[in-house]
């Protein structure tokens, strides 16, 4: 099963932007007002300078010239102040947009079906939550305000040029076909390139995450060179994409520079011709050239920042695309009638046409302890995932109390069946926050859970008790205690059925005895499905299911299976023989 998260369409992007803008009407209106005021202040300067030139040429009194010069300087200072204020307001507004995007992404990501996240790959989600949000930050917090300022300035400057001299303003039109042509060439190539670059950065995140997470395996199997080559390949694809993007931008930049210079040249030529015929004055020519110069800068800025805005738009599509995946809310409201687990002719595969489980049927009674054993690749962990509702079956049914497990709402599902794996995690936060992940709890309930798993003495030695920070920058947590905290969470979650997938296999043998006692406290009174390779642990179960090639090939108690002399008996004899060989002198 493979896939990726979808991309949001233009309608979803517009709806999201409109919702955020209307929610912050006052800030949005203030930002627009400041942009307009800064632009108007910028338009006063060229007009005053043109009048100043005409006044000097006409021999006007010094006082008028001085007042016009002071007015020109004042207009520049006012424009600078208003633009700085406008940028600040726009930056704050952009931060609100970014915060909303991050919050929406995280809120939706934690509600996604686990099989969907795994199918897309953790790097895909990680890339959208990190590098894509960073690109969105540049697009919304910097590019959007700059484009807004530049667009208003272009519009009002063009109006001022026409009012000053319609004849000279016509000279600026020479840049229009040039800019249109270069833009029509650049945009259709740049946007898909940027989308591919963002997707390739997700591949880099995925490769890095997998290498770090599997560092022990990489070291044990001497895969370092292969992982380095894989990482280099991912980075190489990003580098080639960035290089293509740069080449496109360099070509577009040539068009922008020509679009800035040609209007000024055209106005000067047209102005010289018109002045000789008495159609315009020197002041009008001066003001129009200054307006053209003032027009070229914001126009080029708008087009240049448009590139960053397109990147931000592509990033926003990826960020909002996570929200298009249906959250894991379940599809039935029916409550289970009882606690019995039942599998009927279950088939499942991670890829179409490649089944891992082949017609598995099994009944598990409430309170029963079932051990699942078998060789690697037999389908044991996959069976556990289906029992816990992490993946729905491709065919057949997996029910608890007569209701399909994977169709239950997530909160209800975790009160019925919980999967416990060998990988446990301490989140950055306080001990209290780590323990109350399943549900809110009182201090008394938290200490009871810690005592039940044997972690109360460790917690009692912490400086701030339940409020002691753990994880990055906080209190270090020993490996055995990490799993004890995970077991304490289980007590607080209080499911009636636990599926243990090698839950203590990675723990140091010197502390496994203590963890076994902690685990016994958690398992008391619950249905337990223990997936294990330790046959010594399996022999105490009520029943043992032996799996091979995606099928249950034997089912019975330890005594019954040993008497049958089948696969389980062979596994036990092979295990006993290995231990004897390892313990015998050579």
């Amino acid at each position: 099963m493979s896939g990726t998260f979808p991309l949001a369409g233009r309608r979803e992007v517009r709806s999201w932007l409109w919702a955020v803008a209307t929610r912050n009407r006052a800030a949005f209106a203030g930002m627009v007002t400041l942009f307009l005021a800064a632009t108007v202040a910028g338009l006063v300067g060229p007009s005053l300078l043109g009048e100043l030139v005409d006044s000097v040429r006409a021999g006007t009194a010094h006082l008028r010239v001085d007042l016009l010069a002071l007015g020109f300087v004042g207009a520049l200072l006012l424009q600078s102040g208003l633009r700085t204020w406008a940028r600040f307001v726009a930056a704050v507004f952009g931060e609100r947009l970014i915060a909303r995007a991050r919050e929406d992404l995280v809120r939706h990501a934690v509600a996604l079906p686990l099989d969907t996240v795994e199918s897309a790959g953790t790097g895909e989600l990680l890339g959208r939550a990190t590098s894509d949000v960073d690109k969105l930050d540049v697009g919304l917090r910097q590019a959007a305000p700059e484009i807004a300022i530049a667009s208003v300035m272009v519009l009002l400057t063009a109006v001022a040029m026409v009012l000053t001299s319609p004849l000279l303003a016509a000279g600026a039109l020479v840049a229009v076909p040039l800019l249109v042509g270069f833009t029509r060439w650049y945009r259709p190539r740049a946007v898909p390139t940027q989308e591919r670059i963002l997707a390739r950065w997700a591949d880099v995140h995925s490769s890095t995450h997998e290498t770090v997470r599997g560092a022990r395996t990489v070291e044990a199997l001497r895969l370092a060179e292969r992982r380095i080559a894989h990482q280099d390949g991912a980075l190489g694809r990003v580098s080639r994409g960035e290089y293509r993007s740069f080449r496109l931008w360099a070509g577009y930049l040539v068009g922008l520079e020509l679009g800035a210079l040609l209007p000024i040249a055209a106005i000067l030529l047209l102005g010289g011709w018109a002045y000789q015929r008495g159609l315009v004055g020197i002041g009008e020519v001066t003001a129009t050239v200054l307006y053209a110069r003032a027009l070229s800068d914001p126009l080029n800025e708008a087009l240049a920042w448009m590139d960053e805005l397109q990147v931000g738009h592509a990033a926003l599509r990826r960020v909002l695309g996570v929200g298009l995946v249906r959250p894991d809310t379940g599809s039935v409201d029916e409550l289970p009638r009882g606690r019995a687990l039942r599998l009927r002719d279950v088939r499942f595969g991670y890829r179409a046409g490649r089944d891992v489980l082949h017609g598995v049927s099994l009944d598990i009674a409430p309170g029963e302890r079932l051990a699942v054993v078998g060789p690697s690749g037999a389908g044991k962990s996959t069976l556990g995932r289906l029992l816990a509702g992490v993946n729905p079956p491709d065919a057949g049914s997996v029910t608890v109390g007569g209701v399909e497990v994977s169709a239950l709402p997530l909160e209800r599902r975790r009160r019925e069946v919980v999967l416990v794996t060998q990988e446990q995690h301490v989140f950055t936060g306080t001990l209290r926050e780590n323990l109350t992940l399943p549900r809110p709890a009182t201090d008394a309930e938290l200490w009871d859970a810690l005592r039940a798993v044997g972690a109360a003495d460790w917690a009692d030695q912490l400086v701030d008790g339940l409020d002691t920070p753990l994880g990055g920058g906080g209190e270090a947590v020993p490996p055995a205690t990490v799993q004890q905290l995970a077991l304490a969470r289980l007590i607080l979650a209080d499911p009636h059925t636990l599926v243990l997938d090698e839950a203590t296999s990675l723990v140091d043998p010197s502390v496994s005895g203590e963890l076994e006692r902690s685990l016994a406290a958690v398992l008391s009174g619950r249905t337990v499905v223990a997936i294990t390779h330790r046959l010594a642990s399996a022999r105490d179960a009520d029943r043992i299911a032996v799996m091979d090639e995606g099928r249950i090939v034997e089912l019975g108690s330890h005594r019954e299976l040993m008497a049958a002399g089948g696969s389980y008996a062979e596994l036990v004899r092979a295990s006993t023989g290995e231990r004897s060989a390892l313990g015998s002198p050579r």
Side-chain angles (χ1 to χ4, degrees), residues 234-260:
L235 287 170
R237 287 188 289 273
V238 170
S239 179
R240 288 190 292 273
E242 296 281 8
Y243 178 68
R244 173 171 171 75
S245 177
F246 177 78
R247 288 185 61 186
L248 289 171
W249 170 244
Y252 189 44
L253 193 60
V254 173
L256 296 184
E257 291 296 330
L258 290 174

Side-chain angles (χ1 to χ4, degrees), residues 409-553:
L410 184 61
E411 185 177 348
R412 178 71 195 188
R413 192 186 315 162
R414 292 299 165 254
R415 292 204 298 268
E416 301 289 337
V417 186
V418 168
L419 174 65
V420 185
T421 68
Q422 59 193 10
E423 298 176 4
Q424 304 299 337
H425 187 66
V426 172
F427 294 89
T428 300
T430 64
L431 174 58
R432 183 193 307 277
E433 290 168 341
N434 270 272
L435 292 175
T436 54
L437 288 172
R439 65 174 178 85
T442 64
D443 285 8
E445 290 175 315
L446 297 180
W447 283 109
D448 286 344
L450 289 169
R451 277 190 288 271
V453 299
D457 290 341
W458 171 83
D460 193 49
Q461 295 174 4
L462 299 176
V463 176
D464 295 319
L466 295 173
D467 295 314
T468 302
L470 306 179
E475 185 75 24
V477 185
T481 307
V482 171
Q483 291 208 326
Q484 286 175 319
L485 295 182
L487 296 175
R489 290 187 200 124
L490 286 178
I491 290 178
L492 293 167
D494 196 27
H496 63 71
T497 299
L498 294 176
V499 180
L500 309 178
D501 188 0
E502 305 286 7
T504 61
S505 65
L506 290 183
V507 178
D508 192 305
S510 63
V511 297
S512 61
E514 182 179 354
L515 270 179
E516 292 291 347
R517 290 189 292 273
S518 301
L519 191 58
V522 177
L523 303 184
S524 179
R526 307 179 197 275
T527 305
V528 179
V529 178
I531 299 168
T532 180
H533 68 277
R534 298 177 180 174
L535 297 179
S537 302
R539 66 186 304 158
D540 297 326
D542 298 325
R543 287 190 301 165
I544 301 170
V546 184
M547 294 195 67
D548 191 20
E549 296 184 354
R551 295 179 174 83
I552 294 179
V553 295

Side-chain angles (χ1 to χ4, degrees), residues 170-184 258-259 262-263 295 299:
L173 296 178
V174 299
V176 174
L178 183 70
L179 293 176
V180 169
F182 270 92
T183 300
R184 288 173 64 88
L258 290 174
L262 285 180
L295 181 67
L299 182 60

Side-chain angles (χ1 to χ4, degrees), residues 74-90:
L76 292 180
L77 292 175
L78 180 61
Q79 180 197 24
S80 177
L82 288 173
R83 287 190 68 175
T84 301
W85 190 6
R87 283 193 173 95
F88 173 77
V89 173

Side-chain angles (χ1 to χ4, degrees), residues 9-73:
R10 293 182 178 179
R11 186 181 65 176
E12 288 85 8
V13 171
R14 286 196 300 266
S15 298
W16 183 84
L17 290 173
W18 177 254
V20 176
T22 53
R23 189 177 292 108
N24 300 277
R25 292 188 193 90
F28 185 73
M31 179 179 68
V32 173
T33 301
L34 286 170
F35 286 159
L36 288 172
T39 304
V40 171
L43 295 176
V44 173
S47 178
L48 289 174
L49 189 59
E51 189 173 348
L52 178 62
V53 171
D54 283 339
S55 297
V56 171
R57 192 167 181 274
T60 307
H62 290 290
L63 179 60
R64 177 176 173 80
V65 172
D66 291 342
L67 290 175
L68 287 172
L70 287 173
F72 176 72
V73 173

Side-chain angles (χ1 to χ4, degrees), residues 199-524:
R200 288 169 180 174
W201 271 117
D203 293 339
V204 172
H205 286 298
S206 180
S207 177
T208 304
H209 177 75
E210 290 169 357
T211 302
V212 173
R213 189 177 181 183
R216 292 183 179 180
T217 303
V218 170
E219 181 180 3
L221 299 180
R222 300 179 180 178
L223 299 175
E225 292 298 326
R226 187 179 300 180
R227 293 308 302 172
I228 291 172
H230 186 274
Q231 186 80 354
D232 287 345
L235 287 170
R237 287 188 289 273
V238 170
S239 179
R240 288 190 292 273
E242 296 281 8
Y243 178 68
R244 173 171 171 75
S245 177
F246 177 78
R247 288 185 61 186
L248 289 171
W249 170 244
Y252 189 44
L253 193 60
V254 173
L256 296 184
E257 291 296 330
L258 290 174
L261 295 175
L262 285 180
I264 296 175
I267 291 172
L268 286 173
L269 290 173
L270 185 60
W273 174 85
Y275 176 74
Q276 289 177 351
R277 285 161 178 73
L279 300 176
V280 296
I282 289 295
E284 290 175 292
V285 175
T286 303
T288 306
V289 169
L290 289 174
Y291 279 135
R293 183 71 183 87
L295 181 67
S296 66
D297 285 343
L299 182 60
N300 285 352
E301 284 182 15
L303 293 173
W305 277 109
M306 191 68 72
D307 191 59
E308 292 293 343
L309 188 64
Q310 291 287 0
V311 175
H313 180 266
L316 183 59
R317 291 182 64 202
R318 287 171 57 81
V319 170
L320 296 182
V322 177
L324 299 180
V325 181
R326 183 179 176 183
D328 193 359
T329 57
S331 58
V332 299
D333 296 326
E334 184 181 1
L335 296 178
R337 299 177 298 277
R339 298 182 173 182
L341 281 170
R342 176 171 293 179
L343 292 83
R344 285 292 176 270
D345 197 25
V346 170
R347 295 181 178 274
F348 177 78
Y350 295 100
R351 289 188 175 88
R354 298 180 62 180
D355 284 354
V356 177
L357 299 180
H358 307 274
V360 175
S361 295
L362 180 66
D363 289 326
I364 305 173
E368 182 180 8
R369 297 199 176 191
L370 175 73
V372 181
V373 300
S376 298
K380 305 185 297 297
S381 294
T382 301
L383 177 65
R385 292 170 64 88
L386 267 65
L387 285 170
V390 175
N391 298 95
D394 294 335
S397 63
V398 181
T399 61
V400 56
V403 180
E404 191 71 33
V405 177
S406 60
L408 287 168
L410 184 61
E411 185 177 348
R412 178 71 195 188
R413 192 186 315 162
R414 292 299 165 254
R415 292 204 298 268
E416 301 289 337
V417 186
V418 168
L419 174 65
V420 185
T421 68
Q422 59 193 10
E423 298 176 4
Q424 304 299 337
H425 187 66
V426 172
F427 294 89
T428 300
T430 64
L431 174 58
R432 183 193 307 277
E433 290 168 341
N434 270 272
L435 292 175
T436 54
L437 288 172
R439 65 174 178 85
T442 64
D443 285 8
E445 290 175 315
L446 297 180
W447 283 109
D448 286 344
L450 289 169
R451 277 190 288 271
V453 299
D457 290 341
W458 171 83
D460 193 49
Q461 295 174 4
L462 299 176
V463 176
D464 295 319
L466 295 173
D467 295 314
T468 302
L470 306 179
E475 185 75 24
V477 185
T481 307
V482 171
Q483 291 208 326
Q484 286 175 319
L485 295 182
L487 296 175
R489 290 187 200 124
L490 286 178
I491 290 178
L492 293 167
D494 196 27
H496 63 71
T497 299
L498 294 176
V499 180
L500 309 178
D501 188 0
E502 305 286 7
T504 61
S505 65
L506 290 183
V507 178
D508 192 305
S510 63
V511 297
S512 61
E514 182 179 354
L515 270 179
E516 292 291 347
R517 290 189 292 273
S518 301
L519 191 58
V522 177
L523 303 184
S524 179

